[in-house]
Amino acid sequence: MTIAKVIVDVPARQTNRAFDYIVPADCVGWVDVGSRVAVPFGPRLLQGFVVALEEEAGVKASKLKPLDQVLDAEPPLTRELVALAGWMSRRYLCHEVTALQAMIPAALKAKYERLLTLGAAAEEPAAAWTGGASREPAEEAAFGQAELFAAEELFGDDDIVAFVRERGSVTLEAVQHRFPGCGAAIRRLIRAGWLAESQTVKDRMAAKKVLTVFPPERPESLDAALELIPARAKRQRDVVRYLREHPAPIRLTELMLALEVGAGTVKELADKGFIALREVTAFRDPYANRTFARTEPLPLTAEQQRVFGAIGATLAAGEHRVFLLKGVTGSGKTEVYLQAIQRCFDKGKEAIVLVPEISLTPQMVERFKSRFGSDVAVLHSKLSNGERYDEWRKIAQGRVKMAIGARSAIFAPFARLGLIIIDEEHEASYKQEDSPKYDARDVAIERARAAGAAVVLGSATPSLESFERTLPNGRDALSGAYELLEMRERVAGRPMPPVRIVDMREELKGGNRAMFSRPLYKALQERLQRGEQSVLLLNRRGYSTFVMCRTCGHTLGCPHCAISLTYHQNAGAMRCHYCGYAERQPKTCPSCESEHIRYFGTGTQRVEEELGKLFPGIRVIRMDVDTTSEKGAHEKWLTLFGDGKADVLLGTQMVAKGLDFPNVTLVGVIAADTVLHLPDFRAAERTFQLMTQVAGRAGRHRLPGEVFVQTYTPEHYSIVTAADHDYGAFAGVELDSRRQLGYPPFSRLILLTLSHENPQLLVKSAESLAGRLKELAASAAVEPGFACDILGPVASPISRIKDRYRFQCVVKYRGTVRMSELVREAVASLDDVCRQEGLQISVDVDPQMMM
Ligand code: ADP
Ligand code: ZN
Ligand code: ZN
């Protein structure tokens, strides 16, 4: 007898235990590892994933229940992905089912339907419901007044029973639709045994079907049809003639449009047996209406050739290796990716390309589509569920050879993966902030390791974690060593744009209080006169959270942590989010006693207004969350800008990424400090990355470019080294500082966030958790090379969300001890409080944001 081990989708705090079910005879050979199934679980029917199949003889099996249903014709997950989910659950301390769910498209996620049927009481002969009138007062209080009102005024409980009786079984949704506000009545009826509730897994997502016209196998046979169809049936003859010349299957709608005939005409031909008309599974192609001019591989530059040689050799050998491709902006990394992918295809393997946020990088998608056409699946975050499902099925069925998409595209169900490329590998968006809180870079490396595939991490500004792993002693216990590949020159000898740092303190001294410095103002004016374009960056993150002196640039930092204090408006206090240190908000600058100390921040809208005042008639495209929420909005704005319909592209980080416009000769950063003073140990790194990326948008083509960076801290090493285009100098200073403070890459972090409505209970729990962590860490300290600090507990930066208070602890550790397991154990010590009091604990392994 075949037994399926199933990870069941139980939302509650359950272990990762797999449950055993018998595979019924008619499902053997159909069910496989990676299948989605519906299984009985207590009184309910739940969705689950098969993670193993075993042959078992005899007694034990007979006690098991059989699984109820196989939900898909093909298992949606490969064996390899199922194994990866197990790894994720151990690495990120998430439920295995959460990891499995993250791997399948939303369209396939469990859809439960609650069904109502008649209960035992209603089946008794001559039963009459009287409960509605004689409810207990205590019970009444439990129901909302609105519900009571609706239940009594608009319909009687017996109406509901009759409705269900008529239909046998009916969805809860349908009942609620028919009797608005009937929630209380239904609960009452269920308690009294008049109705019964059950739950089923809703049917699988239907693939889209389209009617398709099939000409006969031998098109010549249509000649006979022409003889049989009378001359007056002109339209029918048109269709036959057309199909005689174009004997390939064609969609009915397309044929109707091409020949301007009605569906009836075609159906008549089908009825007569001249052609066939059948439903065919269709793929909704979101790029169906786009054409991509085919591009050919470019002859590589010497630098590209060297890099491609290294990657190509690994692909040819079919080895697993991780490359860090560090190439300045405009050095031609994308062309290297394209040719590496071609090499991978030539070996009969498949490829995944990850980009930070795909809707921000339409130009990137275009370059892959142009080279590889319909071999590319695009997993776009703004696709509808149906479109996404279709792209995903193309991958699962081997109809495409590569997928490009954001973070979750790392789960593309390829069976012969040869290459994973992660562009802009330093981007924080590769980390998922919701459970499972995985880092797509690390998942990529684990997946590639298991598949024997190569990984290319590309960036002009690699994350320090990745960079450090290319250094002689930088081998990380968990991710191994990376091989560094460098490209230092822009293609065709184009120069890097000169970067001018503008000291805003000097501007203020000179009497200019505006948000545009005089040099940037002048540069903008010149561009307008010459008809060239400009990109302006304003980072809104960090808006109003840190306090800075406008006279001397002094910011308030924590004396223990080397990060900025965060302003808490309600308390009027400045706090450190790492260690809990606090002080009162100052009235004057502690450094120069100026009164110009204030909360920093300017919105994009204000900059737009200001531009209009300074340069009447200026055409500005503003890109921020407000103007880009619609589907396709990014593409629209970027196309307009590319077509020269605006002088200035103004926006948040999203304008810094991957854009390539020949006419852009000026880039302005309005306030470099906004990122620098975020309460995050990566603030300097993020500033350096952002400055470098945005500067890389200028002068990428024939026209030379120029960059202005406005700042109150012009001497900061992240700004100075970015202006010099000197990654090495930046990394040197930053790595030293991280080493001294013991931050990543010289340690790893695990962030634990606890939340509860009651602050007393929360603090007590947080302290108990921290205490348990310290005990466990102490007991592990005997292992060589292990060191561990437990920071906190302190209030989270966002100290209350939805009426729940939040506290956090940070585990900072070094060494090979399986810290995740210790954390799991510590969290388990609070299981009772979680179950009984509703305490929530979230665990973020390798957090990108310390919130
Ligand atoms: P990166 O991704 O490193 O910023 P891109 O791949 O966007 O750089 O390349 C910058 C520009 O150089 C693009 O316009 C690209 O078409 C062009 N380019 C890249 N490689 C070559 C090459 N080998 N020969 C000519 N032009 C190239
Ligand atoms: Zn501190
Ligand atoms: Zn000051």
Side-chain angles (χ1 to χ4, degrees):
M1 193 165 292
T2 311
I3 306 295
K5 298 208 167 281
V6 178
I7 297 271
V8 181
D9 183 16
V10 202
R13 307 177 58 80
Q14 288 276 339
T15 58
N16 285 332
R17 197 180 130 204
F19 294 87
D20 290 353
Y21 292 90
I22 294 170
V23 179
D26 58 340
C27 293
V28 172
W30 182 13
V31 173
D32 204 343
V33 172
S35 287
R36 258 182 351 131
V37 291
V39 292
F41 196 80
R44 294 173 297 172
L45 207 52
L46 292 179
Q47 184 187 259
F49 292 87
V50 177
V51 294
L53 288 172
E54 280 171 13
E55 287 303 323
E56 194 125 5
V59 211
K60 189 192 150 214
S62 63
K63 287 188 209 142
L64 299 174
K65 288 185 191 168
L67 57 85
D68 189 82
Q69 236 186 96
V70 186
L71 293 170
D72 312 278
E74 289 283 328
L77 296 176
T78 60
R79 273 169 190 270
E80 184 210 337
L81 285 171
V82 169
L84 189 65
W87 178 86
M88 283 172 69
S89 133
R90 292 187 296 277
R91 177 90 188 82
Y92 299 108
L93 293 178
C94 63
H95 296 306
E96 202 162 331
V97 73
T98 313
L100 290 162
Q101 292 282 20
M103 294 177 169
I104 57 172
L108 284 182
K109 299 229 163 101
K111 290 199 185 66
Y112 296 115
E113 222 166 38
R114 289 161 74 196
L115 290 178
L116 289 176
T117 51
L118 286 187
E123 305 288 9
E124 279 165 33
W129 166 252
T130 51
S134 61
R135 255 172 291 123
E136 310 257 321
E139 217 176 3
E140 245 174 84
F143 302 132
Q145 284 302 312
E147 284 175 317
L148 270 183
F149 179 80
E152 288 178 356
E153 293 296 314
L154 300 177
F155 51 81
D157 292 347
D158 39 357
D159 293 335
I160 300 178
V161 176
F163 184 76
V164 175
R165 189 190 297 277
E166 239 167 64
R167 285 159 182 79
S169 96
V170 56
T171 63
L172 187 63
E173 231 175 28
V175 178
Q176 279 169 335
H177 185 74
R178 172 68 183 74
F179 305 103
C182 66
I186 288 177
R187 258 179 283 173
R188 208 153 57 219
L189 288 163
I190 290 174
R191 268 189 237 172
W194 276 70
L195 292 180
E197 187 192 16
S198 62
Q199 191 166 251
T200 67
V201 178
K202 212 169 165 177
D203 215 8
R204 61 181 165 270
M205 172 83 188
K208 194 181 164 195
K209 303 264 187 191
V210 291
L211 272 173
T212 305
V213 178
F214 290 86
E217 248 167 62
R218 289 176 41 252
E220 307 86 75
S221 64
L222 284 174
D223 295 342
L226 279 177
E227 281 167 25
L228 292 170
I229 301 169
R232 66 190 147 72
K234 189 180 160 304
R235 286 175 197 284
Q236 287 186 30
R237 297 178 66 88
D238 284 351
V239 173
V240 171
R241 261 191 233 106
Y242 181 88
L243 292 174
R244 175 78 177 86
E245 271 164 48
H246 308 91
I250 179 171
R251 287 184 181 198
L252 176 62
T253 47
E254 253 175 73
L255 188 66
M256 286 161 61
L257 282 174
L259 302 180
E260 296 185 3
V261 298
T265 308
V266 185
K267 287 203 173 111
E268 219 164 300
L269 287 169
D271 289 344
K272 289 178 187 162
F274 295 135
I275 58 170
L277 198 55
R278 283 201 302 271
E279 282 204 319
V280 169
T281 307
F283 294 95
R284 285 153 283 212
D285 182 354
Y287 291 85
N289 301 324
R290 295 273 305 277
T291 51
F292 297 93
R294 197 82 177 183
T295 61
E296 294 300 323
L298 298 168
L300 296 179
T301 65
E303 277 195 322
Q304 284 174 323
Q305 189 60 56
R306 202 169 32 75
V307 165
F308 175 68
I311 300 169
T314 294
L315 289 172
E319 287 171 346
H320 166 63
R321 186 166 294 180
V322 183
F323 295 100
L324 179 62
L325 172 52
K326 174 169 159 308
V328 297
T329 55
S331 59
K333 292 186 288 295
T334 312
E335 185 63 32
V336 172
Y337 301 156
L338 288 164
Q339 299 200 15
I341 290 168
Q342 184 59 56
R343 175 64 59 89
C344 174
F345 291 172
D346 294 344
K347 294 284 292 179
K349 296 280 188 75
E350 298 149 332
I352 295 176
V353 177
L354 298 187
V355 291
E357 172 47 76
I358 196 158
S359 56
L360 304 187
T361 46
Q363 289 185 324
M364 197 70 181
V365 174
E366 217 170 295
R367 289 172 76 176
F368 286 88
K369 276 285 205 183
S370 298
R371 188 67 57 89
F372 301 122
S374 56
D375 282 336
V376 184
V378 182
L379 297 168
H380 198 297
S381 61
K382 287 188 181 162
L383 297 182
S384 68
N385 280 350
E387 287 170 334
R388 219 182 140 79
Y389 173 55
D390 284 352
E391 292 294 292
W392 188 86
R393 273 190 309 147
K394 282 191 213 163
I395 300 166
Q397 297 172 4
R399 289 164 183 271
V400 292
K401 294 188 198 151
M402 68 159 283
I404 180 167
R407 181 174 66 222
S408 64
I410 194 55
F411 303 122
F414 285 116
R416 289 177 301 275
L417 195 60
L419 175 62
I420 301 174
I421 289 168
I422 305 188
D423 191 36
E424 311 283 10
E425 70 88 28
H426 60 275
E427 283 285 335
S429 66
Y430 288 123
K431 179 74 202 264
Q432 171 146 307
E433 298 299 332
D434 306 326
S435 189
K437 300 184 177 187
Y438 66 92
D439 188 323
R441 279 179 311 185
D442 292 332
V443 174
I445 291 168
E446 171 61 19
R447 186 169 178 190
R449 192 195 55 73
V455 178
V456 177
L457 307 172
S459 175
T461 54
S463 65
L464 289 171
E465 282 92 336
S466 297
F467 181 63
E468 208 252 345
R469 279 166 215 167
T470 67
L471 300 177
N473 293 319
R475 194 185 170 82
D476 180 274
L478 289 166
S479 16
Y482 302 169
E483 189 172 325
L484 184 65
L485 302 172
E486 276 193 274
M487 299 204 294
R488 298 164 189 274
E489 304 286 329
R490 281 187 160 184
V491 170
R494 288 169 198 137
M496 296 300 287
V499 177
R500 286 196 50 193
I501 300 175
V502 183
D503 186 345
M504 295 302 276
R505 297 170 306 189
E506 293 298 321
E507 289 289 310
L508 193 67
K509 274 188 211 149
N512 178 16
R513 290 161 171 269
M515 60 180 84
F516 288 100
S517 61
R518 284 160 299 185
L520 180 55
Y521 173 85
K522 219 172 123 264
L524 269 168
Q525 199 171 37
E526 283 168 20
R527 293 321 182 281
L528 289 172
Q529 280 159 5
R530 294 209 295 259
E532 294 170 4
Q533 292 176 299
S534 309
V535 169
L536 291 179
L537 171 87
L538 181 80
N539 208 314
R540 260 207 320 204
R541 256 187 67 201
Y543 179 67
S544 270
T545 54
F546 70 96
V547 171
M548 186 179 66
C549 172
R550 295 240 292 165
T551 305
C552 75
H554 180 78
T555 54
L556 298 175
C558 174
H560 309 295
C561 298
I563 56 157
S564 305
L565 295 175
T566 296
Y567 174 61
H568 288 248
Q569 194 167 20
N570 297 342
M574 313 289 307
R575 280 221 181 89
C576 171
H577 283 153
Y578 282 16
C579 72
Y581 170 85
E583 63 183 48
R584 293 216 65 74
Q585 169 213 345
K587 295 246 175 340
T588 56
C589 171
S591 170
C592 77
E593 304 199 329
S594 157
E595 285 177 4
H596 292 296
I597 185 153
R598 53 155 229 174
Y599 324 115
F600 198 76
T602 326
T604 40
Q605 236 166 331
R606 266 198 58 209
V607 179
E608 189 182 17
E609 282 164 23
E610 188 80 11
L611 280 169
K613 277 188 217 144
L614 293 173
F615 306 102
I618 192 171
R619 298 167 306 164
V620 180
I621 288 178
R622 175 161 65 90
M623 274 178 58
D624 54 27
V625 280
D626 301 330
T627 65
T628 55
S629 51
E630 256 170 62
K631 182 172 171 174
H634 289 95
E635 284 91 333
K636 186 183 79 185
W637 294 128
L638 295 177
T639 305
L640 284 174
F641 190 64
D643 291 346
K645 299 278 162 42
D647 307 302
V648 172
L649 176 65
L650 160 70
T652 51
Q653 280 115 308
M654 57 180 83
V655 303
K657 287 171 194 160
L659 308 181
D660 194 1
F661 296 110
N663 202 30
V664 170
T665 61
L666 172 67
V667 167
V669 177
I670 294 177
D673 312 79
T674 48
V675 183
L676 193 52
H677 301 299
L678 283 179
D680 189 325
F681 70 88
R682 290 191 182 90
E685 184 179 0
R686 298 251 183 269
T687 300
F688 178 83
Q689 287 163 351
L690 192 60
M691 293 305 108
T692 306
Q693 293 295 330
V694 74
R697 300 309 118 213
R700 290 168 69 88
H701 295 262
R702 202 176 38 78
L703 296 169
E706 200 181 8
V707 181
F708 287 85
V709 174
Q710 302 191 149
T711 172
Y712 290 89
T713 41
E715 65 287 342
H716 195 276
Y717 63 95
S718 65
I719 291 173
V720 175
T721 54
D724 291 344
H725 308 290
D726 193 347
Y727 178 89
F730 170 74
V733 178
E734 184 67 12
L735 284 174
D736 275 349
S737 140
R738 299 272 184 96
R739 191 181 288 116
Q740 270 165 30
L741 295 164
Y743 278 125
F746 302 99
S747 65
R748 285 183 171 261
L749 302 181
I750 299 177
L751 171 68
L752 294 118
T753 306
L754 301 86
S755 72
H756 198 270
E757 294 93 352
N758 176 343
Q760 279 87 30
L761 183 138
L762 180 65
V763 172
K764 210 174 118 232
S765 308
E767 274 164 3
S768 141
L769 179 65
R772 187 79 191 109
L773 281 167
K774 280 174 190 155
E775 280 169 29
L776 289 168
S779 69
V782 290
E783 313 243 345
F786 178 74
C788 178
D789 269 337
I790 312 295
L791 311 179
V794 294
S796 298
I798 305 172
S799 61
R800 195 165 75 150
I801 293 179
K802 288 189 185 156
D803 291 326
R804 295 180 73 91
Y805 292 89
R806 292 152 49 87
F807 253 67
Q808 67 182 33
C809 288
V810 177
V811 180
K812 192 161 113 181
Y813 70 102
R814 213 170 22 187
T816 52
V817 164
R818 292 226 154 255
M819 196 66 214
S820 295
E821 276 155 36
L822 301 186
V823 169
R824 195 192 284 276
E825 200 180 326
V827 169
S829 73
L830 285 167
D831 262 359
D832 285 347
V833 192
C834 291
R835 234 191 329 265
Q836 286 156 21
E837 312 279 351
L839 176 74
Q840 282 174 9
I841 304 177
S842 97
V843 181
D844 191 351
V845 177
D846 299 336
Q848 278 290 323
M849 280 202 280
M850 303 303 285
M851 309 279 188

